[in-house]
Amino acid sequence: MTQSMDFDALRRAMQENYEQPEGPARNARAELLLAEAEKLNIPLAVIEALGHQLKVYNYSSEKDRMFVPFARLLRMWDERPEDFDEYETHSLHWVFKWVSSGMVGQPHVPLASIEKWLGEMEHRYRLAGHSERAVRSTEFTVARSIGDLARAERAYTAWLAADRDTMADCHACELHDQGWWLAERGDDAEALDLWRPVLEGEYTCAHEPHAVLASSLLPLLRLGRPDEARAHHLRGFRLVRPMESMRGAYADHVEFCALTGNEGRALELLAERPAYFTDAGEPRSRMDFLAVVALLTDRLTSLGLGAQTVPGPAGRTWTAAELAAHARVEALSLAARFDERNGTAYVSGRVRERMEQAPLVERLPLGIRATPTVAAPMRPAPAPSADGTADSEPDLAALLAEARRLSAALHPDSVAAWAAVAETAGDDDLTPRDRAELTDHEAMGLGPEGVELFARAAELYEAAGDPGEALAARARGAYVLALSGRTREALAAVSEPYERVLALFAEGGTGVQQAASVLVGRARILLQRVHEAAETNGAGDGSKALAAAETAARELLALAEPEAGNDVLVASRAAEAQAMLGELAAHAGDAEGAAELLTRASQAFVAARLPWFAVEYEARLTGIARHLGDAEAAEHAARAALEHGAAFLEPTGHAQLHLQLAEILGATGRFGPAADHALEASHWADEGGEGPTLGAWARHQLGGFLLRQRRWAEAAEVLESVLPELSAQTHGDGAIVQTHWWLGDCLTELGEHREAAEHWLRAAEFARHWPEQRDHAMLAHLAAEALGHAELLPEAEQAYARAGDLWRSLGNVHGLIRSLRARAWLAVREEGPGLDTARELMGEAVRACEDKAPDDDKDDEAREQLVAELAQTHRQFGDLVARSTRDDTDDEAIHALFEEALAHVTLAVAGFLSLGEDALHSRTDAQLAAGWLEADLEHPGWAAARAREVLAAYAEGDGADKTVVARRAEAERLLRATESSA
């Protein structure tokens, strides 16, 4: 600062500084402002500057520095209390609480000094006539911190019993500390009940609900309420993140992640705040933070990730194991200093308990992007044998029996069971039949790579005297040829087995099982040809491929269906035939027929106790039902697929089904359940390695569902997390625009207007290249509104002008008029020619309304909308002119401005009156505005008439309608005002 400032400028500077982010820069500015105050030779200026300095120190990482300005303030009070005004007198007594409780967090301050200051606080509060409530609250804080729990309980009871007065902490802060004590004593449910008014926004302050949200995380997990805990983490961390002074609450969020399987997220939080490792101004919160760091890094080490690089104190690279050891030593060293001061082992015990916690939830998906931690591969322990020893060889006969049991049940684990047989059996341990089955299942596990093994399996079945199964193995080999795109070759390969098995079956040389297995292989190949034809040139219901496949499926159904009740495999073939016919119906454009057939197929699989085979068809049925607009059937099919595939689906399959169900539920307005399934989809996509693709889309959807529930902070956290994952190539630029748009909506609701504008402007940059420009115009308009709320007036004017040009080019007169009105309001806030510019813009809005009258006399709705827009424009025009008076405006000019305003408001009344009852509230609002202007212009009779018109309009009004009640009350006030001036 090169130039001294006066007292008013100093006060403005202190206010501006207090609004800056917490941290050393704000503290340094406060020190400079104190130096400026001392130049003024005004005691109150120094008092205010010291108070400002104390406040910024208290809410920063340099909390230990607040004691010096407080001591100076107290000395000034004792020497000349008359130098303190009412506000500063209150502030001095208020910060006594900060100092007394703050000392307990500084281990170098002796316990005797803390007790002395606590007694001093009690004495001075009594002299000032204050209640004991704040004193007992502070005593409670001191007692609980040093481990004197009996005294803490006594102080807690006295605190609650004392009267609330102006020295008591705000309701939100009190409830936080009271709930913390209940949770500490094991009553999590009561703590959460006590916190409810803070969590629901009934009581708030600068640091609440921030702290309550953090403190509630573990109680919610302990009570088995993980969904609420997740929501509190997403909402609460967003509040804590920018506040340097809330290291303790920040640590709570790291701890939550470490105890819920979100170690990757926890590491990201550590990386965001490197100074937290070393900032020494508040040792207690540093100790808490380091204890949580030790918890997290010990957890990583136990997962086999001790060598992983992790964020830590600056100056070197840390592995998880190294940081775990460092954090543990540092946390316990700080705890030992507190215990030495307190004369107990209480703090060290609590720190050890915190560091040694076991996870509360194995895996709690958060729905946000986080770098995954990958555990080192761990070898499973050998399975115990019959005699209980782990080292003995598995029993081959038992393995064979289990493999055959699973094969007979068509269980998905049968391939793995045969692999276990192969691993155990020697060359001479298996019969030809055993070897045939083993080779057959090995080929199944290889998919398209198993063609040669299927041929070998067929040879082994022949050698074992089972020609029917040999033909079935050859049919399976032919089908895998089709899967690799060789359908012509596959059809040729299946032709002979097909003809031979039918002949063999007719002779009684094989059973229905083997015949159906060959027929299903041939039908699958023909269905694959239909898929290929559709991909190439679109296959209709008259195509040869479609007809051939349908004939094959019906032949299979005719063979298998009569015997379906006698054999599981045959039942599965009959069900698959139904499913094939359903797929073919879908290809032919018969969606309703397809849905009916796929439903039958799914039900048949479930009836045969083969639910895992139903999953594929239930997933397809979901899509068809959605296409048909049958949301209920789509939901039922999706839920069935999830239920039947739960134990067998790959992670990506889980993700796809959960996402399908989320979209179905979202489309029917059930956004809560939709969000739950989108969350699951994002988790499973990450597990399946599809995080940047399918996972990102699921998180995008999750953000939208949270937004629709008005869960703004959670939605913002999810959407901000997903933005770096979205790409135009993978997800489309529409998804990117929608995410920015949603973020703008969320941030506006959270009061973060500048950030909201940034997102809307980014979205507008994408949309400006789209052929249809309505979204571009809307986004520019929204950005302008946010910029105005952020007090960035030139930028808001520019954005409104851009939006207006776009609305004009689109022929959208309503958008144009609203942008012009908004620009007028911005202009009138400017000094100098602002009112003239505002008049021009409002005049342009009026002309736009008048020039756009519909040509078609029948278009009553459009005409009424324009009349309403014109009336609203005149209403705002009058309000703008009336509010443009300044302190230095002379009476004559004020009279002229009010006359001008009244003319516009009168036109607004006439416009709304022409719209009848639909515009009743708008009309009465304008009538009252006109009445007040007439009263100011000394026309009490006219003003009273306006008031009576409003009262008459609501003579039969609903007494429960807030607008009606407010209008009547205002009209009565206007009447009284006219009577007193008459």
Side-chain angles (χ1 to χ4, degrees):
M1 297 179 201
T2 58
Q3 185 176 358
S4 295
M5 54 179 67
D6 60 23
F7 198 179
D8 287 340
L10 176 70
R11 282 174 163 163
R12 287 195 299 271
M14 288 190 293
Q15 181 59 38
E16 289 169 4
N17 190 48
Y18 193 69
E19 292 169 359
Q20 296 304 304
E22 296 174 351
R26 188 171 75 158
N27 296 352
R29 172 73 171 165
E31 291 160 14
L32 291 174
L33 291 172
L34 175 59
E36 286 295 313
E38 288 169 337
K39 296 176 186 178
L40 295 176
N41 198 28
I42 302 173
L44 184 58
V46 175
I47 291 166
E48 291 185 11
L50 284 167
H52 172 67
Q53 191 179 69
L54 194 154
K55 288 174 188 174
V56 299
Y57 283 154
N58 184 60
Y59 294 117
S60 78
S61 60
E62 298 177 307
K63 205 178 186 82
D64 55 333
R65 301 180 66 181
M66 71 176 176
F67 304 116
V68 172
F70 177 73
R72 185 176 171 188
L73 272 172
L74 196 59
R75 186 171 65 252
M76 293 176 72
W77 168 262
D78 288 338
E79 292 172 356
R80 289 181 55 86
E82 64 272 17
D83 289 341
F84 288 69
D85 62 14
E86 183 179 355
Y87 177 81
E88 293 303 327
T89 300
H90 178 274
S91 295
L92 176 68
H93 287 80
W94 182 270
V95 297
F96 241 112
K97 299 180 295 183
W98 298 353
V99 173
S100 299
S101 60
M103 284 179 176
V104 81
Q106 304 289 334
H108 68 278
V109 179
L111 208 53
S113 296
I114 297 172
E115 294 291 354
K116 172 184 173 296
W117 276 102
L118 189 58
E120 183 76 11
M121 175 184 174
E122 183 171 6
H123 171 67
R124 288 178 182 266
Y125 271 41
R126 189 179 299 115
L127 287 177
H130 296 307
S131 161
E132 280 197 351
R133 191 175 183 92
V135 176
R136 300 284 79 86
S137 170
T138 305
E139 181 187 7
F140 163 75
T141 300
V142 171
R144 81 178 192 195
S145 300
I146 66 176
D148 188 346
L149 303 186
R151 182 185 179 189
E153 184 63 41
R154 291 193 302 273
Y156 180 85
T157 302
W159 167 23
L160 298 189
D163 293 334
R164 280 189 59 84
D165 66 353
T166 58
M167 281 299 117
D169 283 340
C170 75
H171 282 290
C173 289
E174 283 204 333
L175 289 174
H176 172 244
D177 287 346
Q178 292 163 15
W180 183 93
W181 181 241
L182 292 172
E184 186 69 13
R185 293 186 300 176
D187 199 340
D188 291 330
E190 191 175 346
L192 286 160
D193 188 57
L194 195 66
W195 285 331
R196 182 190 52 75
V198 183
L199 294 170
E200 294 180 358
E202 183 179 344
Y203 300 127
T204 61
C205 70
H207 291 78
E208 293 295 354
H210 316 41
V212 164
L213 286 163
S215 294
S216 71
L217 296 172
L218 298 196
L220 285 167
L221 290 175
R222 290 193 292 260
L223 289 170
R225 293 157 63 177
D227 292 342
E228 291 174 72
R230 175 198 304 112
H232 286 199
H233 168 62
L234 295 178
R235 179 181 161 204
F237 182 71
R238 185 172 191 83
L239 295 172
V240 168
R241 177 187 275 138
M243 305 191 76
E244 185 200 43
S245 65
M246 300 198 74
R247 177 163 53 185
Y250 199 100
D252 291 342
H253 285 280
V254 176
E255 179 182 39
F256 165 80
C257 293
L259 296 176
T260 56
N262 288 288
E263 296 85 2
R265 164 77 166 173
L267 290 175
E268 290 183 358
L269 303 196
L270 295 189
E272 284 191 30
R273 282 289 189 180
Y276 275 174
F277 289 98
T278 53
D279 283 344
E282 190 187 21
R284 181 170 52 190
S285 69
R286 180 167 180 257
M287 176 185 71
D288 290 339
F289 181 76
L290 289 169
V292 167
V293 171
L295 167 72
L296 168 64
T297 46
D298 277 342
R299 169 74 177 151
L300 291 170
T301 302
S302 72
L303 292 172
L305 296 167
Q308 177 174 320
T309 301
V310 296
R316 58 163 288 187
T317 300
W318 296 87
T319 65
E322 291 167 343
L323 184 59
H326 169 80
R328 179 174 289 271
V329 168
E330 288 290 306
L332 289 173
S333 175
L334 284 166
R337 290 176 60 198
F338 281 107
D339 284 342
E340 182 181 3
R341 190 270 307 277
N342 300 338
T344 69
Y346 174 74
V347 176
S348 294
R350 283 183 54 79
V351 167
R352 285 194 175 91
E353 286 176 9
R354 193 168 197 182
M355 291 191 294
E356 292 165 6
Q357 293 175 97
L360 293 170
V361 179
E362 183 178 347
R363 181 74 170 91
L364 179 62
L366 300 179
I368 54 176
R369 177 178 173 267
T371 304
T373 52
V374 182
M378 301 178 71
R379 294 183 180 178
S385 63
D387 62 6
T389 62
D391 295 328
S392 59
E393 290 293 325
D395 181 73
L396 179 60
L399 291 175
L400 270 169
E402 178 65 5
R404 286 205 169 99
R405 183 187 71 80
L406 292 171
S407 296
L410 300 179
H411 196 280
D413 290 341
S414 61
V415 172
W418 281 104
V421 171
E423 189 175 339
T424 303
D427 292 340
D428 300 324
D429 292 336
L430 300 175
T431 66
R433 175 71 191 198
D434 297 336
R435 185 67 64 187
E437 290 180 79
L438 182 66
T439 306
D440 201 2
H441 282 85
E442 184 180 354
M444 292 178 196
L446 292 173
E449 308 300 321
V451 175
E452 293 182 6
L453 277 180
F454 277 123
R456 174 63 181 149
E459 293 172 2
L460 290 167
Y461 280 125
E462 288 279 5
D466 192 342
E469 200 60 48
L471 293 170
R474 288 176 61 189
R476 287 190 280 273
Y479 176 54
V480 298
L481 281 174
L483 290 178
S484 59
R486 298 152 65 184
T487 49
R488 284 181 179 275
E489 191 177 338
L491 273 176
V494 82
S495 177
E496 183 189 354
Y498 168 66
E499 292 173 359
R500 284 185 58 191
V501 82
L502 289 178
L504 196 63
F505 178 67
E507 297 167 359
T510 192
V512 176
Q513 274 196 3
Q514 291 79 13
S517 294
V518 175
L519 264 61
V520 79
R522 180 171 178 269
R524 287 171 179 170
I525 294 167
L526 289 166
L527 182 60
Q528 183 68 18
R529 285 189 70 193
V530 173
H531 290 312
E532 290 176 358
E535 289 174 6
T536 304
N537 51 22
D541 57 358
S543 71
K544 292 181 180 179
L546 195 71
E550 183 177 349
T551 299
R554 293 196 181 282
E555 183 182 21
L556 171 62
L557 185 62
L559 173 72
E561 193 169 40
E563 298 295 324
N566 302 321
D567 185 278
V568 170
L569 187 143
V570 175
S572 78
R573 302 309 186 207
E576 188 171 351
Q578 294 273 21
M580 288 178 177
L581 290 170
E583 287 194 59
L584 292 168
H587 272 281
D590 181 8
E592 292 181 355
E596 182 180 348
L597 288 161
L598 289 172
T599 300
R600 277 192 223 157
S602 300
Q603 291 171 345
F605 278 124
V606 174
R609 297 185 180 178
L610 302 169
W612 46 85
F613 287 133
V615 174
E616 175 185 355
Y617 305 110
E618 286 163 339
R620 293 181 189 176
L621 180 58
T622 301
I624 292 171
R626 290 180 71 185
H627 172 73
L628 290 170
D630 189 343
E632 184 178 352
E635 180 184 349
H636 181 270
R639 289 191 185 279
L642 276 170
E643 177 189 349
H644 297 147
F648 311 105
L649 285 169
E650 293 294 322
T652 300
H654 275 288
Q656 290 168 336
L657 286 174
H658 276 293
L659 190 54
Q660 265 194 319
L661 185 50
E663 291 171 348
I664 292 164
L665 293 166
T668 55
R670 288 170 286 171
F671 301 122
D676 293 341
H677 285 284
L679 177 68
E680 286 295 317
S682 71
H683 163 63
W684 285 110
D686 290 344
E687 291 290 307
E690 296 287 339
T693 51
L694 184 61
W697 181 254
R699 280 184 276 279
H700 163 79
Q701 295 282 57
L702 172 60
F705 295 139
L706 290 170
L707 174 141
R708 291 180 180 94
Q709 297 173 75
R710 305 179 69 81
R711 293 160 66 177
W712 311 113
E714 295 168 66
E717 196 71 13
V718 169
L719 294 167
E720 286 175 346
S721 170
V722 80
L723 259 180
E725 296 180 293
L726 295 175
S727 70
Q729 294 76 18
T730 303
H731 306 99
D733 56 7
I736 298 173
V737 168
Q738 184 64 80
T739 301
H740 281 297
W741 198 322
W742 281 338
L743 264 170
D745 292 339
C746 292
L747 296 173
T748 294
E749 294 292 339
L750 294 170
E752 300 174 34
H753 299 293
R754 182 172 191 150
E755 294 78 5
E758 289 174 1
H759 283 289
W760 280 326
L761 288 171
R762 287 178 200 163
E765 279 304 301
F766 278 94
R768 69 192 293 263
H769 301 293
W770 293 355
E772 169 55 54
Q773 287 289 284
R774 188 182 184 283
D775 284 341
H776 184 196
M778 181 63 75
L779 287 161
H781 201 115
L782 289 169
E785 288 181 0
L787 289 165
H789 287 304
E791 298 298 320
L792 298 169
L793 305 189
E795 293 85 350
E797 157 63 26
Q798 185 178 2
Y800 273 126
R802 174 183 176 185
D805 289 342
L806 289 165
W807 291 130
R808 185 180 283 107
S809 69
L810 290 167
N812 188 320
V813 67
H814 299 282
L816 171 61
I817 291 163
R818 288 164 192 174
S819 66
L820 288 167
R821 291 198 305 241
R823 290 174 66 193
W825 281 107
L826 288 175
V828 82
R829 291 160 70 178
E830 299 289 337
E831 297 286 345
L835 179 57
D836 292 338
T837 303
R839 281 193 182 100
E840 291 175 11
L841 290 164
M842 280 292 188
E844 188 177 347
V846 168
R847 290 190 295 277
C849 291
E850 294 171 342
D851 293 345
K852 196 61 179 178
D855 296 329
D856 186 353
D857 291 340
K858 296 180 181 178
D859 197 351
D860 292 336
E861 183 178 354
R863 185 180 301 281
E864 287 180 1
Q865 289 175 350
L866 277 170
V867 169
E869 202 75 79
L870 178 59
Q872 185 59 238
T873 302
H874 278 299
R875 173 71 182 87
Q876 290 194 32
F877 202 159
D879 202 16
L880 179 147
V881 171
R883 293 188 187 186
S884 65
T885 60
R886 304 183 186 279
D887 293 342
D888 58 350
T889 307
D890 60 44
D891 290 345
E892 186 176 346
I894 291 174
H895 189 278
L897 288 170
F898 281 7
E899 288 282 8
E900 180 184 354
L902 179 59
H904 286 292
V905 177
T906 301
L907 289 171
V909 171
F912 290 130
L913 187 61
S914 72
L915 296 172
E917 290 300 304
D918 290 343
L920 174 62
H921 290 335
S922 296
R923 185 186 87 220
T924 55
D925 171 67
Q927 286 173 318
L928 288 168
W932 287 113
L933 286 168
E934 286 163 338
D936 287 334
L937 290 167
E938 299 181 357
H939 300 308
W942 298 354
R946 299 282 192 188
R948 292 189 187 97
E949 287 173 357
V950 172
L951 290 171
Y954 291 121
E956 305 296 328
D958 182 1
D961 187 317
K962 291 182 180 179
T963 302
V964 172
V965 172
R967 292 283 194 275
R968 283 174 173 166
E970 187 178 353
E972 287 166 357
R973 285 198 305 275
L974 179 55
L975 268 179
R976 289 194 296 272
T978 59
E979 289 166 0
S980 64
S981 63

